[in-house]
Amino acid sequence: SWNCSSGFDFDGGRCNDAGLSATGRSLLKLMADYGTMIDSDHMSVRAKAEAMSTDFGLGPYPFVSSHTGLSEILHGEKRSEGQIAPAHLDRMIQLGGAFAPILMQANSTAELGTYPDNATVARHECAGTTESFIQTYRFLVEKLSKSKAFVGIGFGYRATIWMRTARQSG
């Protein structure tokens, strides 16, 4: 592990030291060549940064987060590299990515507050319920509504997201 200075509370801000291996880089490029949806969830911070960089060679390829948790609105031990960091969220939006909030992302209201703070409807008062989902949903709608690429947010238990890729044939 390494101290990624990311502002993550989990494990004192330590992150997985591994980025993409040579095999991982080859696999992502092959997946992109076939137009496969690439889910960034469970990638390390380094792997996400590398895969989404302009130098990686995928071009403007959209990534998917099939069970989105956001470090920007989570707190305490839930604020980890397993969630999407602000820079990666912004890059995924820029690339035309798709998102589906995870339902069980917080075990307490201390780990995920109400978003926005002044919301009067569906405040986050019962963690691990649809109220948890709503907070992430609201945050994503606000972020994505500023993007030309916004077409919606996936949801449902074990949501599956279908999207068109940036690489369309003829």
Side-chain angles (χ1 to χ4, degrees):
S1 69
W2 62 292
N3 187 338
C4 55
S5 302
S6 60
F8 297 132
D9 298 334
F10 179 76
D11 197 21
R14 302 203 57 81
C15 294
N16 185 332
D17 194 34
L20 293 171
S21 65
T23 302
R25 285 188 289 280
S26 295
L27 177 63
L28 286 181
K29 288 178 181 177
L30 183 64
M31 290 171 72
D33 287 345
Y34 280 92
T36 305
M37 290 186 287
I38 301 174
D39 193 333
S40 67
D41 293 341
H42 301 283
M43 283 186 182
S44 70
V45 168
R46 281 193 172 166
K48 284 178 193 171
E50 184 179 349
M52 294 179 201
S53 88
T54 55
D55 298 333
F56 188 69
L58 293 183
Y61 199 83
F63 286 78
V64 172
S65 171
S66 64
H67 48 289
T68 309
L70 301 161
S71 67
E72 208 163 344
I73 62 172
L74 288 164
H75 310 287
E77 291 293 304
K78 289 293 181 178
R79 190 176 169 92
S80 71
E81 78 170 318
Q83 313 304 331
I84 299 176
H88 297 139
L89 176 65
D90 291 343
R91 181 68 176 146
M92 288 177 72
I93 292 169
Q94 180 185 31
L95 293 171
F99 305 88
I102 189 169
L103 178 60
M104 296 293 291
Q105 64 182 312
N107 299 320
S108 72
T109 55
E111 293 171 340
L112 174 64
T114 298
Y115 187 86
D117 292 337
N118 62 351
T120 56
V121 176
R123 294 191 56 77
H124 194 229
E125 296 171 353
C126 187
T129 67
T130 53
E131 290 178 1
S132 301
F133 174 90
I134 288 168
Q135 310 319 309
T136 302
Y137 178 83
R138 285 176 174 158
F139 183 89
L140 286 170
V141 166
E142 184 178 304
K143 289 289 270 192
L144 289 164
S145 64
K146 299 171 186 167
S147 166
K148 294 178 199 172
F150 181 46
V151 294
I153 295 172
F155 64 92
Y157 189 73
R158 305 278 188 215
T160 302
I161 302 170
W162 295 97
M163 58 181 277
R164 65 179 172 82
T165 64
R167 296 183 183 200
Q168 296 176 337
S169 58

